[in-house]
Amino acid sequence: MTSQTDLYQQVILEHNKKPRNFGKPAHHTHAAEGFNPLCGDHLWVYLTIDSGADGSEIINEAAFEGSGCAICKASASMMTMALKGQTTTAAKTLFTEFQSLLKGELNPESQPHQLGKLKIFSGIWQYPARVKCAALAWHALNGALNNQKTVSTE
């Protein structure tokens, strides 16, 4: 195994075992349910979005709950960490970049991006059955930002 593969597996296992921002918050302004009918991954994404001083919309809190495979939970965990403090515009950019990364269209080593630690998922496109696992939380995020209550990977 390469050191990149080892790091990927370590990160996935750590976030699966101890997911960050896991649980339904007492208060949220936006939410969406995501479901992958092929594998059974099922989760909810919760956001607290407030107006910034400049009129922008700021994601002050991001959380998720539900059940899924290790990749699904790790992706959701890392996504919520990356979203806190971001504008909704930046969140939409992250969504687009992450989808491109999962499809193998974005090479984080040679192309500009805002993904930060999320680039750890860069090799997942090589495993088509796992792409939807990593993408589910992100589709739920996009649904929440667009006031859709339910989204699916299909």
Side-chain angles (χ1 to χ4, degrees):
M1 267 195 225
T2 67
S3 61
Q4 177 69 17
T5 303
D6 289 343
L7 178 60
Y8 167 78
Q9 288 181 346
Q10 269 185 329
V11 169
I12 298 300
L13 292 173
E14 172 63 22
H15 280 272
N16 180 52
K17 187 187 283 186
K18 297 178 185 174
R20 287 22 164 227
N21 307 304
F22 186 80
K24 184 177 182 178
H27 205 61
H28 60 276
T29 59
H30 294 69
E33 175 184 17
F35 182 63
N36 182 344
L38 294 177
C39 71
D41 291 345
H42 191 189
L43 53 81
W44 290 258
V45 169
Y46 304 99
L47 306 172
T48 302
I49 299 175
D50 297 309
S51 294
D54 62 357
S56 62
E57 294 181 306
I58 308 292
I59 300 171
N60 286 319
E61 293 295 327
F64 77 102
E65 68 176 351
S67 61
C69 67
I71 292 171
C72 179
K73 284 174 61 178
S75 179
S77 176
M78 292 181 72
M79 177 192 76
T80 60
M81 291 175 57
L83 291 174
K84 287 185 178 184
Q86 297 287 337
T87 64
T88 55
T89 301
K92 290 175 183 179
T93 297
L94 280 176
F95 170 79
T96 301
E97 289 182 356
F98 194 75
Q99 297 308 306
S100 294
L101 181 79
L102 293 180
K103 294 175 187 174
E105 298 168 356
L106 173 68
N107 180 339
E109 302 306 320
S110 63
Q111 295 171 282
H113 62 85
Q114 305 300 313
L115 293 169
K117 294 178 182 178
L118 293 164
K119 73 179 186 176
I120 195 83
F121 290 93
S122 65
I124 204 151
W125 63 269
Q126 299 172 47
Y127 307 97
R130 308 312 297 203
V131 169
K132 290 182 180 182
C133 300
L136 181 60
W138 292 84
H139 284 292
L141 162 69
N142 195 48
L145 291 172
N146 292 304
N147 294 312
Q148 293 174 277
K149 298 300 178 201
T150 306
V151 297
S152 172
T153 56
E154 294 308 301

